[in-house]
Amino acid sequence: MIAVLKHGTTPQQVNHLVNWLKQMNLDVHLSEGTQVTVLGLIGDTSRVDMDLLKSLEIVETVKRVSEPFKQANRKFHPLDSVIACGDVPIGGGHFAMIAGPCSVESEEQIIEVAQAVKASGANILRGGAFKPRTSPYAFQGMKGEGIRLLLKAKEATKMPIVTEIMNISTLDLFADVDVIQVGARNMQNFDLLKELGKTNKPILLKRGLANTLQELLMSAEYIMSEGNENVILCERGIRTFETATRNTLDLSAVSVLHNLSHLPVVVDPSHATGKASLVAPMAYAAAAANADGIMIEVHNNPSCALCDGPQSLTPAQFDDLNRRVRKVREAIL
Ligand code: PEP
Ligand code: MN
């Protein structure tokens, strides 16, 4: 990190600042020119509050020359991470096809969808039990009972399961869940992230509705800094001025994240587009962008779904999508 000081800063002021920075266990390299003084901060600058430093009266500008995320950073971990989701690896060339309904609605529904998507080639089952809904009057999910039914579907199909946690107080219910999802709305629920960092469960971390990729990586860092390195990133669309789609799918996120981080990157075209007709083309595009996995909402009767019916595919549509995604992957590899 580099801090440029304002012209006219006195030696006492520089000393004061240097001492303060040294207290943070940083080495400070001082370079005094005729016009400006530049401080080079060496060491773990992830703990330096850049905005605070910038706000000091004698500071002109502050620039990071390395990213504030360390454990998620590819520089310190050049090889792709491979995360074991139950017996399904993801990352480093291992591709995950995650499919299932937005919400678990009944035993028949989840088992029927699970068997159908497995037959079509899905290798991880999704299903929401705790649902973050915009309206408090909308279906909130089957909660603990939903997890119990997901476990039945896991038993029936032998597929690992992923489901969303909204509050750490429910963690005990996730004991047999293979992957815990942190949804877009909780991407910056730092207390939740820290607690999940104390577990050893793989965490599927979805990008927030209005968050940058750096913020997504900093949220991954929250989990990893507590000891849990099993983080999978998920691009699910961000909010923009465009209203033709539910969100705007940022596909360049896949390459940006692959460049910056060793963590696997999954794309969710269902929440990104909000429209069933757009899900397949964006899934092909995600596969072409070399995503490590794709997550698709599938319902046995989308028009009657309790949540996200308009973006849900039928099992037959999913079957077609999966076949073509495999072809795209073969074409680019
Ligand atoms: C979901 O996957 O069911 C979900 C609610 O997604 P997001 O958090 O991306 O909106
Ligand atoms: Mn959904």
Side-chain angles (χ1 to χ4, degrees):
M1 186 181 274
I2 288 170
V4 179
L5 306 188
K6 285 185 185 152
H7 184 62
T9 303
T10 65
Q12 288 88 332
Q13 286 174 309
V14 176
N15 262 339
H16 192 248
L17 179 57
V18 168
N19 287 336
W20 180 64
L21 291 164
K22 283 188 173 167
Q23 276 168 22
M24 289 185 238
N25 276 338
L26 296 170
D27 282 333
V28 182
H29 180 266
L30 190 66
S31 154
E32 282 173 298
T34 49
Q35 294 297 314
V36 286
T37 300
V38 177
L39 304 183
L41 312 186
I42 301 150
D44 182 6
T45 55
S46 57
R47 289 173 202 278
V48 178
D49 182 341
M50 218 171 137
D51 293 325
L52 176 63
L53 189 55
K54 249 186 222 168
S55 73
L56 301 180
E57 215 185 312
I58 59 168
V59 175
E60 179 79 48
T61 53
V62 178
K63 222 181 159 152
R64 274 197 190 280
V65 287
S66 68
E67 299 85 4
F69 49 95
K70 302 287 173 216
Q71 305 212 44
N73 201 318
R74 195 180 277 282
K75 274 187 201 147
F76 304 108
H77 187 302
L79 295 180
D80 289 343
S81 276
V82 180
I83 314 269
C85 304
D87 56 3
V88 174
I90 170 164
H94 301 279
F95 185 77
M97 180 56 90
I98 308 168
C102 180
S103 314
V104 180
E105 298 173 6
S106 68
E107 180 167 340
E108 300 70 48
Q109 175 245 17
I110 189 64
I111 298 219
E112 192 180 320
V113 176
Q115 284 171 337
V117 296
K118 180 172 185 182
S120 296
N123 52 6
I124 300 180
L125 175 66
R126 66 151 284 146
F130 293 92
K131 295 304 304 176
R133 304 301 301 276
T134 303
S135 165
Y137 308 117
F139 175 59
Q140 304 284 306
M142 291 182 79
K143 308 193 167 87
E145 176 64 4
I147 294 191
R148 198 181 66 78
L149 297 179
L150 266 176
L151 291 170
K152 278 199 157 186
K154 171 179 169 171
E155 179 67 31
T157 58
K158 306 290 175 231
M159 267 196 289
I161 54 174
V162 54
T163 192
E164 178 167 351
I165 194 166
M166 286 170 55
N167 193 305
I168 200 65
S169 65
T170 62
L171 183 63
D172 287 350
L173 296 171
F174 291 72
D176 296 320
V177 167
D178 301 280
V179 181
I180 300 180
Q181 174 172 317
V182 174
R185 290 152 192 83
N186 270 315
M187 189 203 90
Q188 287 192 314
N189 183 341
F190 301 120
D191 285 343
L192 178 63
L193 301 177
K194 281 194 268 190
E195 289 304 317
L196 292 172
K198 293 175 189 154
T199 73
N200 57 7
K201 294 271 183 199
I203 309 295
L204 180 72
L205 178 64
K206 299 188 91 175
R207 181 180 184 180
L209 275 72
N211 285 110
T212 64
L213 295 174
Q214 172 148 321
E215 286 164 344
L216 173 62
L217 289 166
M218 291 310 291
S219 290
E221 197 75 13
Y222 261 96
I223 299 167
M224 300 175 85
S225 64
E226 294 292 333
N228 185 358
E229 296 182 346
N230 302 309
V231 181
I232 301 158
L233 306 170
C234 180
E235 162 60 35
R236 46 77 73 206
I238 47 174
R239 186 156 285 183
T240 67
F241 53 80
E242 182 55 69
T243 54
T245 47
R246 183 176 177 182
N247 292 289
T248 297
L249 179 60
D250 176 11
L251 264 187
S252 58
V254 179
S255 297
V256 172
L257 292 170
H258 276 160
N259 288 339
L260 292 174
S261 176
H262 52 90
L263 299 174
V265 183
V266 165
V267 173
D268 170 355
S270 303
H271 291 91
T273 63
K275 288 190 176 134
S277 62
L278 302 177
V279 170
M282 291 304 99
Y284 309 148
N290 204 21
D292 301 286
I294 292 176
M295 182 152 91
I296 305 288
E297 284 188 343
V298 180
H299 197 281
N300 47 354
N301 189 357
S303 59
C304 294
L306 296 181
C307 184
D308 287 349
Q311 69 196 34
S312 298
L313 300 191
T314 62
Q317 288 169 326
F318 174 72
D319 187 68
D320 189 57
L321 175 149
N322 184 67
R323 243 178 336 100
R324 291 171 196 259
V325 161
R326 304 275 162 190
K327 283 190 186 160
V328 173
R329 275 185 55 75
E330 279 164 30
I332 61 153
L333 291 177

